[in-house]
Amino acid sequence: MAAEMEPPPLGDAGQTDFREIEDGEGFFVSTVTILESPEPSSPDPPSMPAEGISTNGPKQEDISLDDDPEDLFAEATEEVSLDSPEREPILSDGPSPAITPVTPTAMLTPRMGLGTAEMFERSLDEVSSWVKLTSMTIFSKNETTVRRRFSDFLGLHSKLASRYLHIGYIVPPAPEKSIVGMTKVKVGKEDLSSAEFVEKRRSALERYLMRTVKHPILLKDPDVMMFLESSELPRAVSTQALSGAGILRMVNKAADAVNKMTIKMNESDAWFEEKHQQFENLDLQLRKLHASVECLVCHRKELSVNTASFAKSAAMLGNSEDHTALSRALSQLAEVEEKIDQLHQDQAYADFYLFSELLGDYVRLITAVKGVFDHRMKTWSKWQDTQLLLQKKREAESKLQFANKPDKLQQAQDEIKELEGKVQQGEKDFELISKTIRKEVSRFEKERVKDFKVVIIKYLESLVQTQQQLIKYWEAFLPEAKAIA
Amino acid sequence: MYLLWDSWCGVCFQKLANIDLQHTICTFLLYIYIFYITIMTSTIDDSDKEKALSVSVDLNNDTSLLIDIPDALCERDKVKFTVHTKTTLSSFQKPDFSVPRQHEDFIWLHDALVETEDYAGLIIPPAPPKPDFESPREKMHKLGEGEATMTKEEYTKMKQELEAEYLAVFKKTVQVHEVFLQRLSSHPVLSKDRNFQIFLEYDQDLSVRRKNAKETFGSFFKNMVKSADEVIISGIKEVDDFFEQEKTFLLDYSSKIKDSTARAEKMTRSHKNIADDYIHISSTLSSVSVDDNTALKKHFEKLSDLFEKLRKVEGRVASDQELKLTELLRYYMRDIQAAKDLLYRRARTLADYENSNKALGKARLKSKDVAAAEEQQQQCLQRFNKLSESGKRELTSFKGRRVVAFRKNLIEMAELEIKHAKNNMSLLQDCIELFKSS
């Protein structure tokens, strides 16, 4: 199994500074780090590299690929062992070291993280954005830094979607454009909301990229590799909202919606019926949950603001109080409340970036899953249509046989042969897409379970931390209150 | 006792579940009366007693006159309090008696005391504020409108929360009225007031003695006079250092405490909102878990459970903060106003004295009515001295009272916050353990 594979020398856990600035779209800076870590049989998330992460970015996510016979890395390891002479003894387990080279792994675990987002200075025409990736050895180099714009991400997604969605692969959706947010940023407002917007976008793009590379098929896609590696990408104009392509997309979407309503599929496979229903329900519930959590985030931010304003007024009250001990206690209270307001703000961030964004991502992912189911329906309907057409042609042919028109007969028979081929192809396509969807759905469910579990634990831990801090602050205040003579 | 309350609540809720929400409010409030008796006449545990007296300490210690409000009835907008007195004093007809009183009766008593000349040198305890059910009523209305969008469970929980809020407002208003009476009864001078006695004893409706329209108009003018007072008090040259200090302090402090009270209220409301959000999240999580048949099913159930428990703690954090901090600030905001009123009265007598001095000087010049002017001047001086003396006493004891109350409440609030945070933490950690192990 894994142990028998020769551990390929892998690139470092490099820092990936991921700065993306758009002249028309978004700009932010983030750090992308791909690093490998050993993964023994138990999928324990290895520790994060501490080094090189520029300041306060949200934590890095791990991804571990399952021991899938189709695993990309199975191939990779073989490839590499031919090339690189470097090898190292396999570590039984252990976290991946921060920067030390070559972590031998039984299985490659790409880990990508994006560091902080900072507003980058806008140069007059082009703005720089770069993604530096430590790539797997299947890539040409160990560590790459590339600059990417927001529209590049959208372009990548649209390419992947057009290539893979209709054959049943669940392509993770890209983050959405936001005109309001972008305008604020473009105007150059240095305030909190535009910094927040940049951070939000950076974090969303990070999660998007990670989900994409977690998918074994998508990672092999040449476009993805080019995205991660090549220094220059052709500008993806078709992703602009008001372009011709954009309008075409909207028209297509509308047509699809109409089609969906008219196709009546004979579902022979109960599994699909069941799964479809499940995803519909899950969609509804997750949307509701997402709305509630957004409400929570909003209220927590409010609480933080109100606590801060109370802290100020308590300080003033303490100043005007003439009993010295009480005055001191009131000032201490003001300080405690100020610290608590910061705590609430941090908690609101955790609420948002961990819980709310997870739910938002999954709402969008489930839309992609539903899209894949719809594609299956389309494939089926195409197949059925070709069959009908074949039948009609056959009837026409039998009529022609009696009418005795040899060349038309020949033509009809040729057409029939062609159609028979198409019908067979249609059937094969349908089977293929059904099979792919089954696999995808099971992979998706597995991912979902893991994802939710990891994020929920992180979120609960953030709540625990808040409570711990609260205890600390109030315990520090208590003697002050008792000291009032 | 809260168990009893809960079971009653469940019963009455089931009955009311199908009735229109507006009617629910009224009938529910009637039920509050019954439950309140159940709660109050049975053993009140110490913490409740503590809560009741937290804003003003050392009340009701004098056994010669013990007052409490054992129950109250709420109809529509009006609250009827039952004032119960136990006394060993001979000035009362019976040793133990109860009378029903309305909020307006308390206001009448307060105004009567304020208007009594003899008490000009005393801090009259501030009148209790009108019972205000506006906020929970609004929320109940909104809940009724949003009923269709929630599951039955969620709706039930939200309703429970609201009922708890109604009860909290109700309890607070009873407490505030009770404290008012208790401060009167523990004051050496005010407890002997005739009007106070009438209030406690008169077993018929007091409305005959309450303000009629003419008097209400008169109070409007009184308020105008008061604002003129503020001008006087800032303009007058103070002869006494103590009062000079007190004046500056009280004027400044009063505006600051008003500000703090408003902001503390906002803060408490945000806490309540978060507790409500947890309800929604908990119920949505449980519906997600119903549909899910992956390994996440159990996780969602546990999470939903956790949020349900968390919201109870958060709710308690909010209500404790309200009681210990916001109520404290609110009460002392009113008390400081009462202290300021004392200063105004004293400033007026000082102004009178100065005027009488001038009049005396004029009379001496004209050699007319000198004796009358002298008499007047002596009276003014006496009144002024009396007010200054009692005023000094009152203000000093007021400061002491305030410091003690603040200390008690701040300590209690800090202790409760710690307790709740520890509670939260243990709930969360248990859940994390479950998650990690499964």
Side-chain angles (χ1 to χ4, degrees):
Chain A
M1 215 231 12
E4 293 162 328
M5 283 187 218
E6 288 181 308
L10 303 169
D12 295 0
Q15 258 305 316
T16 38
D17 280 309
F18 187 25
R19 263 188 272 177
E20 167 159 329
I21 307 117
E22 282 293 307
D23 64 18
E25 288 159 318
F27 53 71
F28 55 89
V29 173
S30 41
T31 320
V32 174
T33 315
I34 294 189
L35 34 86
E36 292 84 347
S37 59
E39 194 182 30
S41 42
S42 64
D44 256 357
S47 60
M48 310 292 183
E51 184 263 7
I53 309 259
S54 36
T55 45
N56 40 317
K59 299 148 220 147
Q60 310 196 324
E61 290 178 55
D62 308 309
I63 334 163
S64 38
L65 291 185
D66 279 335
D67 196 357
D68 190 338
E70 275 188 10
D71 191 2
L72 153 76
F73 301 106
E75 301 165 15
T77 51
E78 290 166 48
E79 238 179 300
V80 166
S81 59
L82 295 171
D83 288 337
S84 42
E86 273 182 299
R87 279 186 225 149
E88 258 165 359
I90 303 174
L91 296 176
S92 52
D93 65 11
S96 92
I99 359 105
T100 49
V102 194
T103 315
T105 55
M107 189 170 322
L108 294 182
T109 312
R111 209 195 318 184
M112 203 161 61
L114 299 181
T116 54
E118 300 154 20
M119 293 257 273
F120 195 74
E121 269 155 66
R122 264 198 322 175
S123 53
L124 284 173
D125 357 84
E126 276 288 301
V127 274
S128 41
S129 52
W130 41 285
V131 174
K132 183 169 110 185
L133 309 169
T134 308
S135 56
M136 262 61 69
T137 46
I138 55 165
F139 295 94
S140 46
K141 308 180 222 137
N142 276 347
E143 194 176 292
T144 342
T145 308
V146 291
R147 295 181 134 87
R148 292 290 172 260
R149 315 161 64 106
F150 185 66
S151 61
D152 293 336
F153 284 83
L154 296 183
L156 174 68
H157 170 75
S158 76
K159 283 203 205 109
L160 291 178
S162 63
R163 204 172 296 155
Y164 290 103
L165 261 186
H166 64 269
I167 51 176
Y169 289 101
I170 301 175
V171 177
E176 286 154 5
K177 283 173 163 280
S178 157
I179 303 178
V180 174
M182 261 329 292
T183 334
K184 270 205 212 151
V185 162
K186 278 199 280 188
V187 162
K189 277 172 80 177
E190 269 297 328
D191 72 343
L192 202 59
S193 67
S194 32
E196 266 181 41
F197 172 77
V198 167
E199 173 59 29
K200 205 171 129 178
R201 175 167 276 197
R202 185 207 64 82
S203 154
L205 284 171
E206 168 180 339
R207 291 193 306 271
Y208 162 67
L209 264 188
M210 294 234 280
R211 290 219 173 85
T212 310
V213 299
K214 264 196 253 186
H215 194 302
I217 307 296
L218 291 182
L219 185 53
K220 285 192 249 184
D221 184 284
D223 270 315
V224 171
M225 289 205 252
M226 202 169 68
F227 182 87
L228 295 176
E229 283 206 296
S230 69
S231 44
E232 279 300 323
L233 268 193
R235 195 165 157 172
V237 262
S238 67
T239 57
Q240 279 168 6
L242 295 177
S243 68
I247 298 192
L248 193 63
R249 262 204 307 277
M250 278 195 281
V251 170
N252 278 337
K253 259 200 221 153
D256 277 348
V258 171
N259 278 339
K260 209 163 63 158
M261 291 191 275
T262 55
I263 297 178
K264 267 289 162 153
M265 177 161 174
N266 271 344
E267 189 55 79
S268 52
D269 197 338
W271 185 91
F272 279 94
E273 187 70 45
E274 191 191 311
K275 279 295 171 195
H276 189 83
Q277 191 56 44
Q278 247 179 29
F279 279 117
E280 290 280 339
N281 289 344
L282 192 61
D283 187 33
L284 251 103
Q285 299 298 342
L286 281 185
R287 270 179 212 269
K288 213 167 145 210
L289 191 59
H290 188 216
S292 303
V293 175
E294 288 198 315
C295 220
L296 175 67
V297 172
C298 178
H299 283 145
R300 228 191 268 279
K301 284 205 187 124
E302 231 177 66
L303 177 63
S304 151
V305 165
N306 288 341
T307 312
S309 94
F310 173 72
K312 280 199 207 97
S313 92
M316 293 207 336
L317 193 65
N319 278 341
S320 83
E321 172 67 57
D322 63 351
H323 187 268
T324 28
L326 182 55
S327 159
R328 196 174 44 235
L330 284 173
S331 317
Q332 287 289 29
L333 179 68
E335 269 180 39
V336 166
E337 293 286 352
E338 218 180 289
K339 289 194 212 134
I340 289 182
D341 116 67
Q342 187 56 42
L343 211 59
H344 284 306
Q345 209 177 30
D346 294 339
Q347 183 60 57
Y349 282 148
D351 283 347
F352 179 71
Y353 283 108
L354 289 175
F355 206 4
S356 171
E357 288 283 78
L358 171 77
L359 293 171
D361 284 349
Y362 269 91
V363 165
R364 283 193 294 273
L365 271 170
I366 289 189
T367 317
V369 171
K370 289 208 284 191
V372 152
F373 273 82
D374 290 342
H375 274 293
R376 178 173 170 271
M377 263 206 326
K378 269 201 268 188
T379 317
W380 180 86
S381 105
K382 219 170 86 172
W383 171 35
Q384 294 299 321
D385 287 345
T386 344
Q387 251 188 344
L388 276 172
L389 195 56
L390 175 64
Q391 221 178 350
K392 267 201 241 152
K393 290 285 179 188
R394 282 213 175 113
E395 284 171 10
E397 189 228 8
S398 48
K399 276 201 210 128
L400 282 177
Q401 279 201 330
F402 289 125
N404 205 6
K405 287 193 187 134
D407 32 300
K408 278 216 180 139
L409 187 60
Q410 187 58 38
Q411 188 188 31
Q413 280 174 342
D414 287 340
E415 280 177 358
I416 286 181
K417 264 221 187 55
E418 200 187 316
L419 279 178
E420 276 177 353
K422 278 213 190 116
V423 165
Q424 264 190 344
Q425 184 60 39
E427 184 171 0
K428 258 207 296 231
D429 284 343
F430 182 69
E431 307 261 294
L432 183 61
I433 198 178
S434 303
K435 188 167 127 217
T436 314
I437 289 184
R438 274 179 196 263
K439 241 193 322 194
E440 282 288 290
V441 165
S442 87
R443 191 191 68 89
F444 175 77
E445 294 281 82
K446 261 193 267 184
E447 278 302 315
R448 180 162 78 95
V449 170
K450 246 187 289 180
D451 231 350
F452 266 80
K453 220 172 135 179
V454 164
V455 171
I456 287 179
I457 290 183
K458 258 197 234 155
Y459 176 62
L460 292 180
E461 286 178 344
S462 84
L463 285 174
V464 168
Q465 235 211 348
T466 307
Q467 299 300 320
Q468 270 172 340
Q469 287 292 87
L470 271 176
I471 292 179
K472 236 182 29 197
Y473 293 150
W474 285 112
E475 282 184 339
F477 173 71
L478 198 52
E480 274 298 329
K482 291 195 169 146
I484 302 175
Chain B
M1 281 315 113
Y2 285 100
L3 296 174
L4 193 58
W5 163 253
D6 276 341
S7 59
W8 263 106
C9 223
V11 165
C12 99
F13 175 69
Q14 273 158 8
K15 279 198 234 163
L16 303 174
N18 299 324
I19 307 178
D20 174 60
L21 214 46
Q22 299 288 356
H23 292 139
T24 310
I25 300 170
C26 318
T27 31
F28 170 73
L29 292 173
L30 279 176
Y31 278 103
I32 287 183
Y33 161 60
I34 306 169
F35 304 146
Y36 201 72
I37 298 185
T38 323
I39 293 173
M40 293 319 254
T41 53
S42 43
T43 48
I44 308 176
D45 48 295
D46 279 330
S47 62
D48 269 2
K49 265 219 184 86
E50 289 246 323
K51 279 194 189 151
L53 300 177
S54 63
V55 285
S56 202
V57 285
D58 58 84
L59 293 179
N60 245 16
N61 282 342
D62 182 10
T63 48
S64 64
L65 183 62
L66 287 172
I67 305 179
D68 68 315
I69 301 185
D71 61 64
L73 172 61
C74 187
E75 288 167 2
R76 285 269 162 192
D77 247 345
K78 296 214 168 281
V79 184
K80 276 211 169 75
F81 305 92
T82 307
V83 179
H84 168 245
T85 318
K86 242 201 305 289
T87 176
T88 57
L89 298 174
S90 53
S91 48
F92 291 93
Q93 289 171 5
K94 287 184 278 189
D96 197 325
F97 51 90
S98 293
V99 290
R101 289 287 175 255
Q102 287 189 347
H103 169 72
E104 286 75 15
D105 300 331
F106 287 78
I107 302 299
W108 164 79
L109 176 61
H110 174 257
D111 290 345
L113 293 172
V114 167
E115 286 162 19
T116 311
E117 263 301 318
D118 283 343
Y119 304 145
L122 305 174
I123 297 180
I124 313 288
K130 202 163 149 62
D132 177 24
F133 291 102
E134 190 53 47
S135 155
R137 189 172 294 150
E138 225 183 278
K139 272 173 120 180
M140 190 68 113
H141 190 71
K142 263 195 225 149
L143 179 66
E145 284 176 356
E147 184 177 354
T149 61
M150 308 186 212
T151 66
K152 193 112 208 291
E153 229 180 68
E154 210 175 323
Y155 182 70
T156 315
K157 287 204 195 113
M158 289 293 300
K159 207 157 180 197
Q160 269 177 6
E161 266 304 297
L162 267 177
E163 286 165 4
E165 210 176 304
Y166 260 110
L167 187 63
V169 171
F170 188 71
K171 271 207 240 174
K172 230 189 325 167
T173 191
V174 168
Q175 174 194 314
V176 148
H177 284 77
E178 195 177 61
V179 164
F180 171 69
L181 293 177
Q182 286 170 345
R183 269 189 70 185
L184 288 177
S185 73
S186 47
H187 195 284
V189 177
L190 291 172
S191 58
K192 305 198 176 61
D193 180 72
R194 179 78 193 125
N195 282 321
F196 185 43
Q197 202 178 344
I198 293 173
F199 178 90
L200 290 176
E201 251 191 337
Y202 191 65
D203 52 4
Q204 319 241 306
D205 199 354
L206 276 181
S207 50
V208 289
R209 289 181 168 257
R210 276 196 268 132
K211 279 187 179 158
N212 53 23
K214 192 170 109 192
E215 285 184 349
T216 327
F217 212 43
S219 77
F220 169 67
F221 278 118
K222 226 176 282 170
N223 284 333
M224 296 199 53
V225 170
K226 200 181 253 183
S227 6
D229 274 344
E230 308 221 6
V231 177
I232 294 178
I233 199 177
S234 37
I236 213 152
K237 193 168 159 303
E238 191 48 70
V239 294
D240 191 333
D241 260 349
F242 174 80
F243 282 98
E244 181 64 38
Q245 260 182 345
E246 283 299 309
K247 182 176 79 176
T248 347
F249 167 66
L250 282 177
L251 285 177
D252 183 34
Y253 201 72
S254 120
S255 66
K256 301 261 168 64
I257 204 173
K258 260 196 212 134
D259 191 48
S260 294
T261 310
R263 294 184 195 209
E265 274 175 8
K266 269 191 168 160
M267 194 168 73
T268 318
R269 220 175 309 145
S270 294
H271 262 300
K272 284 211 194 102
N273 284 339
I274 290 185
D276 286 342
D277 283 336
Y278 279 0
I279 297 181
H280 294 299
I281 292 180
S282 163
S283 67
T284 320
L285 279 171
S286 75
S287 23
V288 172
S289 86
V290 162
D291 286 332
D292 196 310
N293 53 13
T294 62
L296 283 182
K297 186 190 187 77
K298 274 193 301 233
H299 288 117
F300 282 135
E301 268 172 26
K302 285 180 215 151
L303 206 58
S304 156
D305 214 26
L306 172 71
F307 270 96
E308 174 61 27
K309 294 199 192 106
L310 282 180
R311 71 110 176 163
K312 291 216 177 94
V313 180
E314 278 303 315
R316 218 152 300 149
V317 169
S319 69
D320 284 339
Q321 194 181 69
E322 164 103 54
L323 267 175
K324 300 290 165 193
L325 189 62
T326 318
E327 264 308 295
L328 173 77
L329 290 173
R330 241 185 246 136
Y331 187 78
Y332 276 96
M333 182 176 79
R334 292 195 291 267
D335 223 1
I336 288 197
Q337 187 59 45
K340 266 165 65 180
D341 288 342
L342 168 61
L343 285 183
Y344 295 154
R345 293 196 286 269
R346 181 177 163 280
R348 248 185 286 144
T349 58
L350 182 59
D352 286 342
Y353 173 62
E354 289 186 350
N355 288 341
S356 75
N357 256 340
K358 288 198 202 116
L360 181 61
K362 269 201 221 137
R364 286 209 175 118
L365 276 176
K366 290 197 199 143
S367 303
K368 213 168 45 148
D369 295 327
V370 173
E374 266 179 11
E375 176 79 37
Q376 176 76 333
Q377 191 232 35
Q378 279 309 307
Q379 269 186 0
C380 287
L381 183 60
Q382 259 179 3
R383 215 181 303 151
F384 173 66
N385 282 334
K386 178 170 147 217
L387 280 196
S388 298
E389 203 187 298
S390 80
K392 201 178 256 179
R393 248 197 334 260
E394 290 276 309
L395 285 171
T396 322
S397 81
F398 168 67
K399 185 189 305 261
R401 227 182 329 123
R402 192 182 78 236
V403 170
V404 169
F406 266 72
R407 176 176 189 277
K408 184 164 183 288
N409 278 284
L410 287 177
I411 292 177
E412 283 173 2
M413 182 171 81
E415 288 175 345
L416 283 167
E417 290 266 353
I418 293 175
K419 181 174 119 185
H420 292 315
K422 285 199 174 135
N423 220 348
N424 267 338
M425 229 174 70
S426 82
L427 285 171
L428 287 165
Q429 274 167 340
D430 287 341
C431 194
I432 294 181
E433 278 308 311
L434 283 170
F435 266 67
K436 281 191 172 156
S437 62
S438 66

